[in-house]
Each structure stands twice: as C-alpha cells, then as structure tokens.
C-alpha cells in the first residue's frame, strides 16, 4: 500500500504559517501531502515554501498543468482533505459549492473525509452567515473543528484562533484511521472529565491521585474527530488542549461537580473518566501545617465529596442523555465493577485495573465495558484512543 494521500488546503489568514508545522508533521509521519493554497494564502506563505516542504508543485488555479486535470484528480485521489486555516470566506465558498479556484474544485471532487480547522476573528466566527455555513458543512459530513480561544491577530483575543498544529494533526490521524465512516457524533454535545482532583490541606499540600488525564483527553480527541462539540473538564492535567475542544480547568471535586453539572445541562453524553477524590479534608489550614516538637501530628479529618456520577445518573440533566462512568479497581476488578455499575446507575461503566504503575499515566489501557443492559464488552490492551473509540461506539448505539 502506498502512503496515504492528504490534501492540505490553506486559505488566506495569518495562521497560514502554522500550516507549515502541520505539513511537516503529516509528511514526517509517512503521508504524501499535496498543498493547495488559495491565492490569498500565498500573501502569507509563498508557493516555494509549500513546494519545498511537501515535495510537490503548488498551484492555486485550475489552469496550471491542465493536461493532468488537477482540479479533479487531486480531490479524487485524496484519502483526506484538511483545510487549515479555513477562513470565513473559504467556509462560505465550500458550503455553497463554489468552484472558483483549485481548492474549492478539490473540495467538490473529494469523496474522502474532510476536516476544516477554521481561524478568524471572533466576530466573523460568530456571524450568523458563518454559523450557517459551518452547520451546512457539518450536516454534509465534514469535521469542522471549533477554533481555540486566545490571541488573534494584533492585540485582539477571543475565540477564533487556529488550534495548535500538533492537535490538528491528531484529529487528522483519527479521521484518517476511521476512513469514510460518518462523523457519527456530529451535532452532539459531549462532556468528558479527565485528570485527578486535588483536595487541599493547606497552601502547600493536597490529597490527590495518580491520574494523568490521558484517558480523558483520548476520549475528548476521538469525540472531536467524530464531529462532536466537546467540553473537557480537566482536573490538574498539564496536557495540551486538544483541537476543537472547549477545556474547563478545575482543581477540586467540588469544582469538578460544578463544571460538569453546568456543561451537562445540554449534553447528549457525559463520560466521567476523571479520578475524583471520594473525601476531602474537613478543614483547610490557612497557613502551612507545622510539625510540633515532641508531639504526634494531628489526625486529618475527612468529609465525603459529592458523588457526581451517581448524581447525574439519577437526575439526567437532559432527557435521553447517555452517562458513562469509569471504575478504577485494584482487585476483584470485574466483581467490583459490576457492583459499582448498580450503585452509580450509569448506562455504561468502563472497568479498568489500576496500580502505582498500571494504567495511570500510561499510553495504553485495557478494560471491560459493562452496560446497564447486562452487556459486557472486553477491550484488549491497546492505545487509550482505541478504548475511547469503543466507548463512543457504544454511546452512539445508545444515542440512536
Ligand atoms: O488519567 P490516566 O492516567 O489516563 O488514567 C486513567 C484512569 C485510570 C484515571 C481512568 O481510566 C479511570 O479509571 N477513571 C476513573 C477513576 C475513578 O475515580 O474511579 P472510581 O472507581 O473511584 O470512581 C467511579 C466513577 O465515579 C468514575 O467515573 C468517577 O469519575 C466517578 N466519581 C467518583 C467519585 C466521586 N466523588 N464522584 C464521581 O463522580
């Protein structure tokens, strides 16, 4: 099999320079990339750069190399088209099926998955015309990544920033792996919690756990690549924001509960992959707790934290919502998982074994997904993304 063929469409925005990094990641990971810039994109990064980095000639118009019919061939032969950055103008032309340059011709002839990574000023992103164009493209099966929030051109900040190239690359990788499968979470809002809560004892110390957040981030990334609007509630992770995902940072279990309940009010699915502390210190010492000569330390009194998973499973903030929990077990893994599923009353419970160096922080996971309907789906050892995809497969079945 030859290298997967990727078309990188680049439209005319200042973020075009970031597409060079995306191009490099795609070529270095074994993809054959053809860059198709718009004429305005070349005001920001010249054809020589795209050509040198991709190893292919670069053209913006349908009139070059006419005998090779590039306006049809490039799209027909592609395994993936990614447009990054996608300006408001390019989204509009794509949504309306215009074909006035090589990129829009390519988009019309492509039968492979298409990913748009928009970048523009917040006002343009929020304009009803752009909203409708994005909705049209999503309805037709394209993955339109939500822009990031942050510094835009000049002094402006807001939503509209191109996500980091490494994260756009992850979306491309996931979409390519799924092939022509429909983005089956398009139009859905999903909430994922990730990481481990920290319950402060004093300004210096906390009670915490070993969760890195990798499993939750894999769930967020894979959901975004399947077209979902994703809210990721991240507790103490320190991981880069996945592309197209709204990230809400929290610290404690109480903060996590607040953020999950707020986001869950209009969510189609909630997946609780975060390791949430069951208890927190009853009192918070304003100053660092000191050791006292000749005295035993004071015992730490704990109080219970709210059980967020049990609460949303019971209340279902939105009717028909699918609720997924995780169970981190060290012994009697499946038996404890089955008991936990009943107690938490969620629809699916992903039971995984954990230990000091098992599952926490690793790139891989292995689990059995228990269903409230009595189903048991084993997921063999593999990347956390593979487990995440399986979770979404089961969620999609229940949503439909
Ligand atoms: O982050 P990684 O390093 O990638 O590791 C992944 C993981 C091991 C953290 C993840 O796969 C996992 O198992 N997450 C759940 C950890 C956990 O808190 O398990 P639990 O069995 O204690 O809780 C069961 C469920 O109830 C979980 O969905 C948890 O989010 C939820 N819970 C727990 C306590 C609480 N007070 N409120 C809750 O909602």
């Amino acid at each position: 099999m030859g290298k997967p063929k990727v078309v990188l469409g680049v439209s005319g925005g200042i973020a075009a320079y970031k597409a060079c990094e995306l191009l490099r990641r795609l070529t270095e990971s074994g993809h054959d990339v053809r860059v198709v810039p718009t004429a305005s994109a070349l005001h920001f990064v010249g054809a020589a750069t795209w050509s040198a980095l991709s190893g292919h000639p670069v053209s913006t118009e349908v009139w070059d190399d006419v005998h090779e019919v590039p306006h049809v061939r490039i799209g027909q032969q592609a395994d993936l088209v990614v447009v990054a950055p996608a300006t408001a103008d390019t989204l509009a032309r794509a949504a309306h099926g215009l074909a006035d340059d090589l990129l829009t011709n390519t988009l019309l002839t492509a039968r492979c998955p298409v990913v748009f990574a928009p970048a523009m000023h917040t006002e343009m992103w929020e304009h009803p015309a752009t909203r409708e164009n994005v909705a049209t493209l999503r309805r037709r099966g394209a993955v339109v990544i939500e822009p990031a929030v942050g510094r835009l051109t000049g002094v402006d900040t807001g939503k509209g920033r191109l996500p980091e190239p490494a994260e756009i690359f992850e979306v491309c990788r996931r979409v390519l792996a799924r092939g022509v499968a429909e983005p089956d979470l398009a139009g859905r809002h999903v909430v994922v919690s990730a990481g481990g809560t920290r319950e402060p004892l004093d300004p210096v110390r906390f009670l915490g756990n070993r969760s890195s957040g990798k499993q939750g981030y894999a769930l967020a990334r894979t959901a975004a690549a399947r077209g979902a609007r994703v809210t990721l509630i991240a507790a103490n992770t320190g991981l880069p924001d996945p592309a197209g995902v709204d990230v809400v940072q929290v610290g404690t279990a109480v903060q996590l509960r607040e953020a999950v309940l707020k986001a869950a009010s209009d969510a189609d699915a909630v997946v609780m992959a975060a390791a949430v502390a069951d208890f927190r210190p009853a009192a918070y010492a304003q100053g660092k707790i000191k050791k006292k000569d000749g005295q035993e330390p004071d015992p730490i009194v704990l109080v219970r934290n709210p059980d967020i998973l049990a609460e949303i499973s019971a209340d279902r903030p939105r009717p028909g919502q699918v609720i997924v929990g995780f169970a981190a077990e060290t012994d009697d893994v499946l038996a404890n998982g089955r008991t936990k599923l009943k107690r938490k009353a969620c629809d699916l419970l992903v039971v995984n074994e954990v230990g000091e160096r098992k599952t926490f922080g690793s790139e891989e996971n292995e689990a059995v997904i228990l269903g409230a309907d009595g189903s048991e789906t084993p997921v063999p050892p593999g990347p956390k993304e593979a487990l995440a995809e399986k979770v979404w497969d089961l969620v999609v079945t229940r949503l439909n």
Side-chain angles (χ1 to χ4, degrees):
M1 231 176 73
K3 292 178 175 181
K5 286 187 176 359
V6 176
V7 174
L8 172 59
V10 184
S11 42
I14 183 67
Y17 77 93
K18 287 190 180 175
C20 299
E21 166 72 7
L22 175 60
L23 171 57
R24 195 185 58 78
R25 283 181 182 266
L26 286 164
T27 51
E28 283 182 1
S29 55
H31 301 87
D32 178 16
V33 188
R34 184 86 193 231
V35 183
V36 183
T38 63
S40 1
L42 296 184
H43 289 296
F44 294 95
V45 179
T49 302
W50 301 122
S51 186
L53 289 177
S54 67
H56 285 294
V58 164
S59 165
T60 63
E61 300 305 327
V62 295
W63 307 113
D64 300 330
D65 302 314
V66 174
H67 63 289
E68 289 178 7
V69 210
H71 72 288
V72 177
R73 293 278 179 274
I74 294 174
Q76 277 177 337
Q77 292 170 355
D79 297 301
L80 174 78
V81 178
V82 50
V83 185
T87 56
D89 178 66
T90 296
L91 293 173
R93 289 187 301 135
H96 288 84
L98 300 190
D100 51 1
D101 63 4
L102 189 55
L103 177 56
T104 43
N105 272 272
T106 300
L107 286 166
L108 277 185
T109 49
R111 292 294 173 269
C112 58
V114 178
V115 174
F116 291 94
M120 63 196 73
H121 265 73
T122 312
E123 293 82 354
M124 295 173 96
W125 175 249
E126 288 175 349
H127 194 283
T130 306
R131 305 308 310 148
E132 278 170 33
N133 291 330
V134 167
T136 301
L137 293 167
R138 284 182 175 152
R139 208 170 43 249
R140 289 190 198 134
V143 173
V144 184
I145 302 173
E146 287 288 309
V149 176
R151 182 85 188 263
L152 305 170
T153 324
V155 292
D156 294 347
T157 56
K159 187 160 186 167
R161 191 179 156 85
L162 189 74
E164 289 310 310
E167 293 299 327
I168 301 174
F169 170 71
E170 286 302 321
V171 174
C172 294
R173 217 167 51 78
R174 296 311 313 157
V175 172
L176 257 174
R178 284 179 53 77
V180 287
E182 281 287 297
D184 50 7
L185 286 170
R188 304 289 190 177
H189 177 210
V190 304
V191 176
V192 177
S193 72
T197 62
R198 290 182 182 176
E199 310 299 323
L201 270 165
D202 66 17
V204 179
R205 307 174 180 101
F206 56 82
L207 300 180
N209 60 66
R210 297 179 191 278
S211 171
S212 63
K214 286 181 182 172
Q215 184 62 69
Y217 276 58
L219 282 152
R221 270 200 194 94
T222 47
R226 290 168 79 144
R229 175 162 77 86
V230 185
T231 306
L232 174 64
I233 319 288
N236 310 298
T237 56
L239 298 172
D241 290 356
V245 169
D246 287 330
V247 183
V248 181
Q249 304 283 353
V250 297
T252 65
V254 169
Q255 290 167 358
L256 189 112
R257 174 182 175 272
E258 214 171 284
V260 167
L261 292 187
K262 186 166 172 221
S265 62
D266 71 343
D268 297 283
V270 180
V271 182
M272 290 287 295
V276 185
D278 287 316
F279 307 101
R280 67 178 183 276
Y284 174 75
Q286 294 299 331
K288 185 180 172 192
I289 301 168
K290 300 273 189 306
K291 45 179 187 291
K292 296 172 202 144
D293 284 344
Q295 280 183 28
E296 288 300 309
D298 291 335
I300 298 170
V301 180
L302 300 175
V303 293
R304 283 190 91 104
N305 267 330
D307 188 326
I308 308 158
L309 177 62
E311 183 178 344
I312 49 172
S313 296
D315 294 352
R316 305 278 162 161
R318 180 177 167 169
Q321 202 165 50
V322 178
I323 311 283
V324 184
F326 270 67
E329 304 293 342
T330 53
D331 43 77
D332 287 337
V333 176
L334 256 187
N336 283 334
R338 290 189 188 109
T339 311
K340 205 167 264 181
L341 174 65
K342 287 207 185 81
R343 199 172 69 240
K344 305 259 185 179
C346 47
D347 301 298
L348 294 165
L349 189 75
V350 185
V351 185
N352 51 190
E353 188 175 342
V354 295
E356 272 183 35
R357 270 180 285 275
K358 191 171 170 63
T359 309
F360 287 126
S362 96
E363 302 302 324
E364 302 221 325
N365 202 353
E366 174 186 8
V368 177
I369 308 176
L370 305 179
D373 55 4
S375 59
E376 297 200 357
T377 311
V379 182
K384 284 181 172 167
E385 282 176 352
L387 174 57
E389 295 282 14
K390 194 71 220 171
V391 169
W392 294 124
D393 287 348
L394 297 174
V395 167
V396 166
T397 318
R398 279 155 181 80
L399 283 173
N400 293 339

